[in-house]
Amino acid sequence: MIIVLKAGVTEKEIQAVITEIEKQDYKTHVMHGVERTVIGAIGDERTHRNLESLITWEQVEQVMRVQKRYKLVSREAQPKSSVVPVREVPIGGKKIQIMAGPCSVESESQLMETAHAVKEAGATILRGGAFKPRTSPYEFQGLGEEGLKLLAKARDETGLPIVTELLSQDHAEMIAEYADILQIGTRNAHNFQLLIAAAKTGKPVLIKRGLSMKIEEWLLAGEYILSNRNPNLMFCERGIRTFETYTRNTIDLAAVAAVKSESHCPVVVDPSQGVGRSDLVIAVSKAAIAIGADALLIEVHPNPAEAWSDGAQQVDLNGFKKLMDEIRPFIAAAGRE
Ligand code: PEP
Ligand code: MN
């Protein structure tokens, strides 16, 4: 860390800061400028005590970190991109994986029809919510375990691994019994106990970006998975909240490039929650691939007008086929399969 002292401090005041830093097991390097003294505290900031509270000292003007706060998710820890194995489907390799399915599992016929259609069109993972994080308690909350059973049945029929949301620590074991990827939703991206519980199931974890989460906070959320000995982590950009209301959220595609460069973990893009309107989903999917996404998460419903959740943003079965056709040249141009 770098500690900048105020102009005109006395030698005694400088010495007091040095003594405190060395007490915390850092080595010090003191630079005397014309007006100011700057002290470098040398040591691993992530394992030593944080020196940020030195800012409360009268003689201290500024305390700055040198190292990043995350380590295991970073490319410094692992330069090579990781590939997350989801049954037979590798996420983060050359092949772009398409996760598709309804926002919510509503019935056996709705799920099976969708699962077969998305598989036929080229999807490699089936999505579907059984426990839904709804803003209002009066809205459909999901079929619960019944929905998980239907997802497992759809996997048996189609061979597609499944991704579904984990809403509560209480459900971690149950969901892990059925799911191949645990999705942590945007509203829970800051729920650290839930992140730990998800990590401990040992299943691959997909962390959606929180509604107002900075990239650094998102990477730190991922750090909770890797530091709890689960190497199988994916980040998912799904739009953040801004002043713009034309789209449901503002999808931040620059964050995809940023996280790909900071972290070795695969990055998924969810254009459906990202824009909230089905007419923009294909365009954003193309852009996501162009900027380096490793997978897409697309909401698909046989009859979006009658969907029990997120009807406006779900593409229908033909719309999904069209999406798969239209993204193909972008996948090739990105040097992917
Ligand atoms: C979803 O995938 O249906 C969902 C609720 O996602 P998010 O947490 O991104 O809103
Ligand atoms: Mn949804």
Side-chain angles (χ1 to χ4, degrees):
M1 302 198 85
I2 307 282
I3 295 93
V4 182
L5 303 184
K6 289 186 180 151
V9 295
T10 65
E11 200 46 51
K12 196 167 154 222
E13 287 170 323
I14 297 172
Q15 200 48 55
V17 176
I18 293 173
T19 306
E20 176 62 21
I21 295 171
E22 289 179 348
K23 215 162 80 191
Q24 305 304 335
D25 273 346
Y26 287 90
K27 293 201 167 35
T28 50
H29 177 76
V30 185
M31 292 154 276
H32 294 283
V34 181
E35 281 194 0
R36 270 167 222 283
T37 299
V38 173
I39 307 171
I42 302 153
D44 192 333
E45 293 166 9
R46 296 164 305 202
T47 50
H48 284 59
R49 219 199 76 189
N50 194 327
L51 294 175
E52 272 157 11
S53 55
L54 280 175
I55 194 66
T56 59
W57 289 36
E58 186 58 35
Q59 64 269 51
V60 174
E61 172 135 327
Q62 218 184 334
V63 180
M64 292 174 284
R65 298 187 69 90
V66 178
Q67 283 175 311
K68 291 170 177 161
R69 294 168 75 193
Y70 41 88
K71 61 181 168 189
L72 300 175
V73 300
S74 80
R75 283 204 189 263
E76 277 173 31
Q78 185 190 309
K80 199 169 154 277
S81 295
S82 18
V83 176
V84 173
V86 179
R87 288 182 177 248
E88 310 287 279
V89 181
I91 301 177
K94 188 145 195 222
K95 184 165 164 41
I96 291 189
Q97 306 295 357
I98 309 295
M99 311 175 178
C103 176
S104 300
V105 178
E106 299 168 7
S107 68
E108 179 160 353
S109 60
Q110 170 246 16
L111 183 65
M112 298 307 160
E113 185 182 358
T114 313
H116 285 287
V118 298
K119 158 120 196 205
E120 175 87 358
T124 45
I125 292 179
L126 177 66
R127 68 146 286 151
F131 290 88
K132 295 303 298 177
R134 305 309 298 276
T135 301
S136 161
Y138 307 116
E139 289 164 351
F140 176 56
Q141 304 287 310
L143 295 182
E145 191 167 5
E146 189 47 41
L148 298 175
K149 289 191 172 139
L150 293 174
L151 284 165
K153 185 161 185 218
R155 174 179 54 211
D156 288 346
E157 284 192 13
T158 61
L160 297 175
I162 53 188
V163 53
T164 196
E165 179 161 351
L166 170 65
L167 259 191
S168 155
Q169 273 158 267
D170 299 344
H171 302 154
E173 273 178 34
M174 187 224 307
I175 305 234
E177 258 176 51
Y178 296 95
D180 300 300
I181 303 174
L182 305 185
Q183 172 176 323
I184 300 294
T186 193
R187 294 155 190 87
N188 268 318
H190 288 284
N191 185 342
F192 307 118
Q193 293 306 318
L194 184 67
L195 292 169
I196 294 169
K200 288 191 169 162
T201 65
K203 291 278 174 166
V205 178
L206 176 148
I207 304 183
K208 298 267 196 125
R209 183 176 180 185
L211 276 175
S212 58
M213 206 174 214
K214 292 164 66 172
I215 290 170
E216 186 193 42
E217 294 170 319
W218 190 21
L219 291 165
L220 284 164
E223 198 73 19
Y224 273 91
I225 306 302
L226 298 199
S227 67
N228 280 284
R229 298 175 196 282
N230 183 336
N232 294 321
L233 166 68
M234 290 155 260
F235 291 103
C236 177
E237 166 62 36
R238 50 77 71 206
I240 49 176
R241 185 163 285 180
T242 68
F243 56 84
E244 181 57 71
T245 53
Y246 185 84
T247 47
R248 178 180 180 189
N249 294 293
T250 297
I251 190 130
D252 180 10
L253 291 178
V256 177
V259 173
K260 285 299 294 176
S261 109
E262 285 293 324
S263 172
H264 54 86
C265 300
V267 178
V268 182
V269 171
D270 174 350
S272 307
Q273 329 293 324
V275 294
R277 34 188 298 168
S278 56
D279 61 331
L280 298 179
V281 167
I282 294 183
V284 175
S285 298
K286 293 172 180 170
I289 289 163
I291 208 160
D294 296 298
L296 300 178
L297 183 63
I298 309 284
E299 286 190 344
V300 185
H301 194 286
N303 185 359
E306 287 183 4
W308 297 0
S309 62
D310 288 352
Q313 70 197 33
Q314 304 204 57
V315 295
D316 64 16
L317 306 182
N318 277 329
F320 183 68
K321 244 188 275 161
K322 184 163 180 279
L323 180 149
M324 293 300 284
D325 285 342
E326 290 195 23
I327 61 175
R328 212 159 285 129
F330 289 81
I331 292 175
R336 310 289 289 261
E337 286 163 6

